[in-house]
Amino acid sequence: MNTTDTIIAPATASGDGGIAIVRISGADARSALSAHFKTSSNRLELESHRLYHGYLLDFDGTPIDEVMAVYMAAPHTYTRDDVVEIHCHGSQQVVKSILNLYQSQGLRLADPGEFTYRAYVNGRLDLSQAEAVSSLIHAKSDSSRRLALSQVDGLLSRQIYSFAATLKRLLVLVEAWIDFPEEDLPAEDLVTITATFAQIVAEISVITNSYGCGRVLAEGASILLVGQPNVGKSSLLNALLGEDRAIVTSVPGTTRDLLEEGLTIEGVPVRLVDTAGLRESSDVVELEGIKRAEKKLAEADLVLFVVDSGQELNDRDFYVHSQCIGHPAFLVMAKSDIGKSIGDLSFCDFPAYRVSAKTGSGLDELRRAISTFLLDGYRPASETVMLTERRHYEALLFCLDNLKRAITLANDGSSLELLAFELREALYYLGQISGETTTEALLDDIFSNFCIGK
Amino acid sequence: MSNYNKSYEVVVVGAGHAGCEAALAAARMGCSTLLLTIGLDTVAQMSCNPSIGGLAKGHLVHEIDAMGGEMGVNIDATGIQFRRLNTRKGPAVRAARAQADRMAYSARMKNVIEAEPLLDLKQGLVDELLVEKNRVVGVRTREGLDFYGRTVVLTTGTFMRGLIHIGLNHYAGGRAGEPSAEGISGSLRAQGFRVGRLKTGTPARLSARSIDFSKLERQPGDKVIKPFSFMTDKIERGQVDCYIAETNETTHQIIRDGLDQSPLFAGVIEGVGPRYCPSIEDKVVRFPEKKSHQSFLEPEGVCGSEMYPSGLSTSLPLDVQLAYFRSMVGFEQVEIMRPGYAIEYDFVEPMQLSASLETRAVGGLFHAGQINGTSGYEEAAGQGLLAGINAARQCQDRDPIIIGRDVAYLGVMVDDLITQPTTDPYRMFTSRSEYRLLLREDNADQRLTELGRTIGLVGDARWQRYLEKQQQVGAATRIIKGGSVTSSNRDIVKKLQLGNLKSGLSLEQLLRRPEINITHLKEFYPGLGDFSAQALEQVEIAVKYDGYIKRQLEQVERFREQENLKIPDDIDYDAIQSISTEVREKLKKIKPISLGHAGRIQGVTPAALAVIQIYLRKQYHA
Ligand SMILES: Nc1nc2c(ncn2[C@@H]2O[C@H](COP(=O)(O)OP(=O)(O)OP(=O)(O)O)[C@@H](O)[C@H]2O)c(=O)[nH]1
Ligand SMILES: [Mg+2]
């Protein structure tokens, strides 16, 4: 990837928001701005890191938009190169005109994630920060954004560095014992070392335990609605969503394929998936829908098994239930407004909730239960590190394995070079997170994850 | 000018530990070889401590031996105390060490060299390097005599512009009692080499007659000796004891009082000394809280009376040296036979070498030993061997031998030298090796004998012996893998206290238990009794450390992937703009041969590596 030419891209999401930002990075950023920007105070020299009001002018001098613009001199910028940001009105038309203007002058439209790539290449971000930026771009809710920000801030990196520093310190000691058997060194005290390992194991475990929750916050959880036809799944989806997205009819088998809607439940980003009712069917289209629903079961973070409060339970409910067993699931008794006794519910040990899409009763309780379940009771405090990246999670699990084996070795009085081996490998895995060691494939993954403009 | 009317394929300058190995290797590989040295009486001289081996250094000696070098055989023949270190730790970090009879060591090496048919040993002080069109063609001695050689191996030790310090007095010298070589480093500078300065030191030698050994702790050697060389069956020479002496508060006060006469503290010495081997004055100043420092008192031979007090190297004036020794218990009446001293010398930054130890600037010129900023006889000998091999191979139009970090400490050392800046004299440690569990003394033969055979340094006797061992290892492994113990094997169950064996136990499982070793099994499986202890040891280690060995091999796999991503010689780092100037300069200077190699250069970040790899892929479709 060329990392020396000057690149341009919108830095805010597309869509007609209030203000859009167009970002330029590279050696020509400054001249690009001054060629087309006229400050309202008629200043010619722009000071670095100061926001000026003025107009952005087209080739012929006609104003494209009234803008605020800032020129930031390297190295104190996002990419560590010269950077210009133009804050314009957030219409797609305006943004497009600005991009056209500069592209026609030789600036290149940035690839996804390229600004962050440059920041990384120029040493501004370490790997975990760069990945956090990626999650930030993809953040779907407030809590996700906060989480991503805390990682850009380096909270995870700081923790990793501190573990690494401690382990390195102990490794140094162990290596000294190995290489200098005849010098007088501190006694080979494995008890203290083991205690420190145990402490780090505990601290890393706290972080790895946050992974499920961290991932849910960063990527969103998927919730699957299943149940036999006509029990009220689509209505429930509409009710949770607060608008009518799914078609609701009294004809069983209305929903033929998966319908996915994003929403936030108690701050947790969620993808709610409505399915075709699970039943034996001969309709080809419906069969395909059912097949897909069954496949989705395995991927869902939570399954809502919906039954109709107005109907006696029957074999088809039992069939759907049997499909849900083994997956995290709630029993939802829909249409509670027409509720009557529908039979013995003891066959199903899922947590049960009564709701009515018609009256809205029970919906809040269901929402709370869903979010509590997804966050596993975990309340992200501002100072805790949460894992959102699978790669980090796996590296830490490996690191934990190494440390646990190290503890066993120390307790068994095994020889020190094996202990050193485990420590070195533990450090290797920590390095995989902080970016001290890396491979190209890894970088590919990170940077293909990025959106234009960050 | 006159020229010696014989021209050589390989000319080796300096007959220290590096030079001897280089010359022997080249001659044994069939090259007409000249070994030139300042003094014929100091071949393979032990200028400092009279011992060979120790952690990581012992590993090096085993590797040199496996490839057909001389050091292991020489110390086995002349060692007067053998001691294995770390015997309570695992096999990877156990190491051999031996005290040598210094004179015998030197005499034997000289004999071996004199007996080598294609090798001429001559006295001569080299003053100048003869270079034509960036290629070395020979050397010129102080007397104005030219010796021509297709390749030259420089192993100058501490002789290049050597400056000896005792107190605030200093004089030119390459070693106590020998002249320095004043000309060569200038001639290297003229070729554009970056030449730096290092310092090392040695303690006074004490007269045994004047020491009260009854007041010192005796330290005997091992009863059962494991020799260095694969070819040695038994150590013949009589063994002697060492002793342990200690400094005390008075000693330290005397040293502190003498600091104003220390060239080190007066700033007279500019060269950097080894961090792992500081002088006693350094230790006293840097660790004031330590009330006492230990010193091993080692005899320098069986005939002479000189004793070497380890850990007490110094450059203080002789009267201060005498005063602090006499403050120590057992040394009240001690007499100094030779004073301790510090020596500064020129070295040539080894980052200017390629992995074959040939200099990049001057073709055919190889450097080995202290000229590369290393310290230690074993480090020197290892480099000497490799430089000699590669000089010879160049004469024979063969590709150089480059040993990987995953194969031997020799490989680790060379890679470190050509990659990492020298901050102080380089010494080998086991922790420098990432693949330590695989690079053991006990398997040096398995790692390197075949290579030595290919090169032409492993003779038939060693080769036969090696094949036999390998065959035994194979056969013993089959017994261990095939056999099992059940409750019907009453003898074993009872003797090894295996308790109630319900389902039987494979021998492999049994051997994996920490409390059981292969000699236990020998009793019950007579087949095993036919094999040598060395063969059985390999089987035992393979079983006991199976898990770790496998994991280490996986790491090696990852390492090789990066090593195999070669960086072409002609890469233009200026064309890769998104790496920092600092990184670019380093890459240009060191010219890494692979992406893995580049990654080991300090300051080359993962991001920079990624950029280089992307560039390589684009440019060379690698
Ligand atoms: N009284 C009452 N009726 C409801 C409620 N929810 C859904 N219904 C009715 O139940 C019928 C089926 O509703 P849907 O939401 O289409 O059911 P579904 O489970 O999605 O059905 P399929 O897509 O056919 O599988 C419709 O006639 C809805 O009006 C409720 O809470 N109360
Ligand atoms: Mg529906």
Side-chain angles (χ1 to χ4, degrees):
Chain A
M1 199 183 284
N2 184 340
T3 55
T4 53
D5 60 350
T6 303
I7 50 175
I8 184 167
T12 42
S14 57
D16 292 38
I19 292 285
I21 300 175
V22 173
R23 180 181 285 161
I24 304 172
S25 173
D28 298 333
R30 182 182 197 163
S31 56
L33 179 64
S34 37
H36 294 278
F37 179 54
K38 185 168 171 292
T39 61
S40 40
S41 57
N42 278 324
R43 267 187 81 104
L44 290 177
E45 274 299 300
L46 302 184
E47 250 178 81
S48 178
H49 289 83
R50 285 195 60 160
L51 195 61
Y52 293 95
H53 174 264
Y55 291 88
L56 202 69
L57 308 177
D58 215 336
F59 292 110
D60 51 7
T62 54
I64 296 174
D65 193 19
E66 178 187 357
V67 301
M68 303 281 283
V70 55
Y71 155 70
M72 292 171 279
H76 298 292
T77 66
Y78 183 73
T79 56
R80 289 221 168 143
D81 291 331
D82 281 0
V83 167
V84 160
E85 283 180 3
I86 302 168
H87 301 232
C88 57
H89 288 104
S91 105
Q92 295 203 29
Q93 201 43 54
V94 171
V95 173
K96 224 169 160 186
S97 313
I98 298 177
L99 294 180
N100 284 341
L101 168 69
Y102 282 116
Q103 276 177 272
S104 67
Q105 303 201 6
L107 268 57
R108 181 166 62 78
L109 195 62
D111 285 337
E114 199 171 351
F115 286 105
T116 308
Y117 182 76
R118 288 195 176 184
Y120 178 72
V121 166
N122 292 337
R124 162 112 168 10
L125 300 173
D126 71 16
L127 271 185
S128 66
Q129 287 172 313
E131 284 171 331
V133 172
S134 154
S135 347
L136 186 62
I137 299 165
H138 296 303
K140 292 188 179 74
S141 71
D142 273 357
S143 26
S144 335
R145 200 157 287 131
R146 237 182 297 126
L147 177 63
L149 274 174
S150 80
Q151 297 204 356
V152 176
D153 220 28
L155 210 55
L156 177 64
S157 312
R158 278 210 295 280
Q159 282 262 13
I160 299 296
Y161 280 127
S162 113
F163 295 144
T166 310
L167 292 182
K168 227 172 247 165
R169 193 166 50 76
L170 297 181
L171 180 63
V172 164
L173 197 58
V174 172
E175 293 290 359
W177 285 332
I178 292 172
D179 261 330
F180 303 101
E182 302 208 295
E183 302 284 339
D184 53 308
L185 294 167
E188 291 184 20
D189 170 17
L190 291 184
V191 179
T192 349
I193 289 194
T194 323
T196 314
F197 289 161
Q199 197 189 327
I200 296 183
V201 165
E203 286 177 41
I204 293 183
S205 301
V206 170
I207 299 179
T208 50
N209 288 340
S210 77
Y211 174 61
C213 165
R215 188 188 55 81
V216 161
L217 284 185
E219 291 175 6
S222 78
I223 300 181
L224 197 62
L225 289 158
V226 297
Q228 62 162 303
N230 219 33
V231 291
K233 298 182 295 295
S234 299
S235 306
L236 181 57
L237 174 117
N238 288 343
L240 286 170
L241 211 55
E243 52 185 299
D244 288 344
R245 284 290 171 90
I247 301 165
V248 173
T249 70
S250 56
V251 183
T254 304
T255 308
R256 295 297 190 93
D257 197 358
L258 302 177
L259 173 73
E260 192 171 314
E261 286 298 333
L263 70 154
T264 310
I265 295 183
E266 304 262 305
V268 182
V270 155
R271 294 186 311 281
L272 205 53
V273 188
D274 187 13
T275 66
L278 293 175
R279 64 168 177 182
E280 283 136 79
S281 164
S282 49
D283 182 322
V284 195
V285 180
E286 195 182 342
L287 267 179
E288 181 58 27
I290 293 172
K291 223 168 89 191
R292 289 189 193 177
E294 286 174 355
K295 204 173 137 236
K296 272 273 174 188
L297 269 175
E299 297 162 16
D301 292 298
L302 178 63
V303 177
L304 299 182
F305 164 39
V306 186
V307 297
D308 186 341
S309 304
Q311 291 274 325
E312 243 347 274
L313 287 167
N314 58 34
D315 282 352
R316 278 181 291 195
D317 292 312
F318 297 141
Y319 167 73
V320 176
H321 173 254
S322 70
Q323 298 292 305
C324 295
I325 289 174
H327 303 288
F330 288 177
L331 170 63
V332 178
M333 289 168 279
K335 310 187 197 174
S336 61
D337 53 301
I338 49 170
K340 51 180 185 187
S341 161
I342 56 172
D344 185 5
L345 289 170
S346 63
F347 72 99
C348 173
D349 54 8
F350 305 151
Y353 301 91
R354 303 176 65 85
V355 297
S356 165
K358 199 166 169 185
T359 67
S361 92
L363 280 176
D364 280 346
E365 202 195 329
L366 180 63
R367 283 198 185 95
R368 270 196 299 277
I370 289 174
S371 97
T372 311
F373 172 82
L374 290 176
L375 296 184
D376 198 16
Y378 199 94
R379 284 271 143 248
S382 61
E383 269 306 293
T384 39
V385 175
M386 283 183 130
L387 281 186
T388 59
E389 294 289 331
R390 165 157 291 274
R391 196 178 63 75
H392 294 172
Y393 176 64
E394 283 170 358
L396 283 179
L397 287 187
F398 281 126
C399 178
L400 276 180
D401 282 347
N402 289 122
L403 292 176
K404 286 175 187 165
R405 274 193 295 259
I407 293 175
T408 316
L409 286 170
N411 288 339
D412 292 353
S414 292
S415 68
L416 291 173
E417 75 278 13
L418 302 184
L419 195 64
F421 178 92
E422 298 293 356
L423 275 180
R424 281 167 179 248
E425 222 174 50
L427 281 166
Y428 166 83
Y429 287 118
L430 291 181
Q432 296 253 296
I433 300 176
S434 61
E436 273 179 28
T437 52
T438 183
T439 62
E440 209 251 330
L442 186 78
L443 287 168
D444 281 350
D445 285 348
I446 297 165
F447 292 111
S448 62
N449 256 316
F450 286 105
C451 236
I452 290 179
K454 288 275 173 180
Chain B
M1 294 307 135
S2 56
N3 95 61
Y4 200 84
N5 64 348
K6 177 171 176 185
S7 84
Y8 294 91
E9 291 182 281
V10 181
V11 173
V12 179
V13 178
H17 305 282
C20 290
E21 294 291 352
L24 283 172
R28 287 168 177 171
M29 286 168 70
C31 289
S32 66
T33 305
L34 168 67
L35 178 55
L36 264 181
T37 180
I38 289 181
L40 277 187
D41 302 325
T42 49
V43 170
Q45 175 82 299
M46 296 186 156
S47 326
C48 196
N49 59 334
S51 84
I52 299 269
L55 260 286
K57 289 166 168 280
H59 292 73
L60 283 171
V61 180
H62 278 78
E63 291 175 355
I64 292 166
D65 180 66
M67 290 185 68
E70 194 61 30
M71 185 172 246
V73 181
N74 211 50
I75 181 64
D76 281 345
T78 58
I80 52 176
Q81 188 199 64
F82 287 77
R83 226 153 62 77
R84 256 185 110 55
L85 304 177
N86 273 347
T87 47
R88 286 210 299 274
K89 298 189 181 99
V93 296
R94 285 177 213 150
R97 199 190 51 195
Q99 303 300 321
D101 183 314
R102 198 163 56 80
M103 309 271 247
Y105 187 92
S106 161
R108 186 190 173 280
M109 187 65 90
K110 184 163 180 255
N111 286 340
V112 170
I113 285 167
E114 286 164 345
E116 193 60 44
L118 292 177
L119 178 55
D120 289 349
L121 175 65
K122 294 184 192 302
Q123 184 158 308
L125 193 159
V126 171
D127 223 17
E128 199 186 328
L129 207 59
L130 304 175
V131 178
E132 281 170 16
K133 293 194 203 118
N134 295 327
R135 197 164 168 99
V136 73
V137 295
V139 296
R140 176 169 298 163
T141 67
R142 183 167 53 173
E143 292 76 22
L145 198 57
D146 289 351
F147 289 96
Y148 293 115
R150 289 179 59 192
T151 57
V152 170
V153 182
L154 284 184
T155 72
T156 52
T158 57
F159 281 73
M160 287 198 304
R161 291 208 311 126
L163 188 65
I164 291 176
H165 297 263
I166 302 179
L168 297 175
N169 292 320
H170 46 81
Y171 56 89
R175 177 160 53 203
E178 289 177 74
S180 59
E182 292 296 317
I184 315 179
S185 49
S187 138
L188 288 166
R189 269 204 192 87
Q191 292 299 327
F193 286 105
R194 291 185 304 276
V195 176
R197 210 138 165 84
L198 290 170
K199 173 225 127 175
T200 188
T202 192
R205 305 301 193 274
L206 309 177
S207 160
R209 216 175 59 193
S210 64
I211 295 170
D212 184 352
F213 289 102
S214 68
K215 291 184 179 162
L216 301 178
E217 185 188 327
R218 197 172 67 94
Q219 196 193 38
D222 290 342
K223 294 231 165 47
V224 181
I225 298 174
K226 217 172 163 195
F228 279 87
S229 175
F230 184 67
M231 298 304 287
T232 310
D233 292 316
K234 198 172 178 308
I235 300 299
E236 308 287 352
R237 212 169 264 270
Q239 300 292 295
V240 303
D241 291 333
C242 292
Y243 295 85
I244 299 173
E246 264 158 13
T247 63
N248 54 50
E249 302 263 35
T250 317
T251 321
H252 299 178
Q253 194 50 51
I254 295 168
I255 289 168
R256 272 191 287 270
D257 291 343
L259 284 181
D260 56 337
Q261 300 172 73
S262 152
L264 201 62
F265 288 87
V268 180
I269 293 182
E270 46 170 308
V272 187
R275 278 169 304 175
Y276 44 85
C277 188
S279 62
I280 182 65
E281 49 268 37
D282 227 7
K283 291 199 261 189
V284 167
V285 171
R286 280 178 38 220
F287 305 99
E289 68 285 357
K290 284 205 86 165
K291 306 234 173 314
S292 169
H293 297 276
Q294 239 184 17
S295 168
F296 292 103
L297 197 59
E298 302 162 351
E300 294 223 309
V302 282
C303 295
S305 171
E306 288 181 78
M307 299 292 288
Y308 175 95
S310 77
L312 297 176
S313 84
T314 189
S315 54
L316 288 166
L318 186 55
D319 55 333
V320 182
Q321 295 186 28
L322 188 62
Y324 75 65
F325 276 119
R326 288 197 172 167
S327 71
M328 293 168 65
V329 172
F331 290 171
E332 294 83 356
Q333 310 292 324
V334 83
E335 289 295 339
I336 289 179
M337 294 177 73
R338 314 185 196 210
Y341 63 90
I343 181 164
E344 286 185 279
Y345 55 96
D346 283 350
F347 78 104
V348 182
E349 282 181 23
M351 287 198 289
Q352 303 167 95
L353 302 174
S354 60
S356 62
L357 294 180
E358 184 180 16
T359 66
R360 281 204 298 266
V362 177
L365 178 65
F366 294 77
H367 289 177
Q370 276 167 303
I371 192 174
N372 287 337
T374 64
S375 83
Y377 313 143
E378 305 81 353
E379 287 85 348
Q383 294 165 63
L385 177 68
L386 295 174
I389 289 172
N390 286 331
R393 286 179 73 88
Q394 191 172 87
C395 295
Q396 297 163 346
D397 283 327
R398 293 200 169 93
D399 284 338
I401 297 292
I402 293 164
I403 299 178
R405 299 181 73 87
D406 54 333
V407 174
Y409 278 88
L410 290 170
V412 174
M413 173 168 63
V414 172
D415 186 64
D416 282 350
L417 288 177
I418 65 171
T419 312
Q420 311 299 343
T422 307
T423 48
D424 68 327
Y426 178 97
R427 179 204 197 276
M428 186 46 77
F429 301 108
T430 71
S431 55
R432 291 198 197 268
S433 161
E434 303 84 339
Y435 313 111
R436 180 165 58 192
L437 300 182
L438 303 177
L439 309 187
R440 307 185 304 269
E441 280 194 0
D442 64 70
N443 68 0
D445 55 331
Q446 293 178 45
R447 290 183 279 121
L448 296 165
T449 308
E450 283 177 40
L451 180 62
R453 181 75 175 171
T454 321
I455 293 169
L457 287 175
V458 166
D460 290 343
R462 184 186 285 267
W463 185 241
Q464 279 317 316
R465 206 182 167 114
Y466 169 72
L467 291 180
E468 194 172 313
K469 178 181 166 187
Q470 289 310 97
Q471 186 259 321
Q472 288 194 8
V473 171
T477 305
R478 279 190 293 279
I479 294 183
I480 295 292
K481 297 246 183 217
S484 63
V485 187
T486 62
S487 45
S488 63
N489 303 84
R490 290 222 186 82
D491 287 359
I492 313 183
V493 173
K494 197 169 158 220
K495 186 91 178 259
L496 300 181
Q497 302 177 339
L498 299 181
N500 210 346
L501 276 190
K502 282 201 187 71
S503 50
L505 211 53
S506 77
L507 285 188
E508 207 174 351
Q509 285 170 318
L510 192 59
L511 193 53
R512 215 162 267 154
R513 296 187 175 184
E515 70 278 10
I516 290 184
N517 58 47
I518 202 153
T519 41
H520 289 123
L521 302 180
K522 228 158 98 174
E523 239 180 278
F524 310 102
Y525 294 85
L528 288 175
D530 301 340
F531 305 127
S532 70
Q534 288 82 350
L536 291 180
E537 183 187 26
Q538 286 312 305
V539 179
E540 180 175 273
I541 291 172
V543 171
K544 280 198 184 297
Y545 295 90
D546 180 41
Y548 278 95
I549 290 172
K550 280 208 185 98
R551 285 168 65 197
Q552 187 102 77
L553 285 170
E554 283 163 20
Q555 295 178 346
V556 167
E557 202 73 23
R558 286 201 293 254
F559 160 79
R560 286 200 183 139
E561 257 168 45
Q562 292 284 301
E563 292 309 286
N564 290 339
L565 293 170
K566 297 289 179 215
I567 300 180
D569 245 2
D570 58 357
I571 186 170
D572 177 10
Y573 286 110
D574 288 321
I576 314 176
Q577 294 186 2
S578 44
I579 48 180
S580 72
T581 318
E582 191 198 341
V583 166
R584 191 195 328 278
E585 287 314 310
K586 280 190 174 155
L587 291 166
K588 281 179 169 174
K589 196 164 141 186
I590 296 171
K591 293 190 191 291
I593 50 179
S594 66
L595 208 65
H597 188 197
R600 289 191 292 279
I601 298 171
Q602 279 172 24
V604 175
T605 58
L609 281 184
V611 172
I612 298 169
Q613 188 172 6
I614 293 165
Y615 175 81
L616 284 177
R617 193 184 288 164
K618 264 198 354 218
Q619 211 65 23
Y620 302 90
H621 310 285

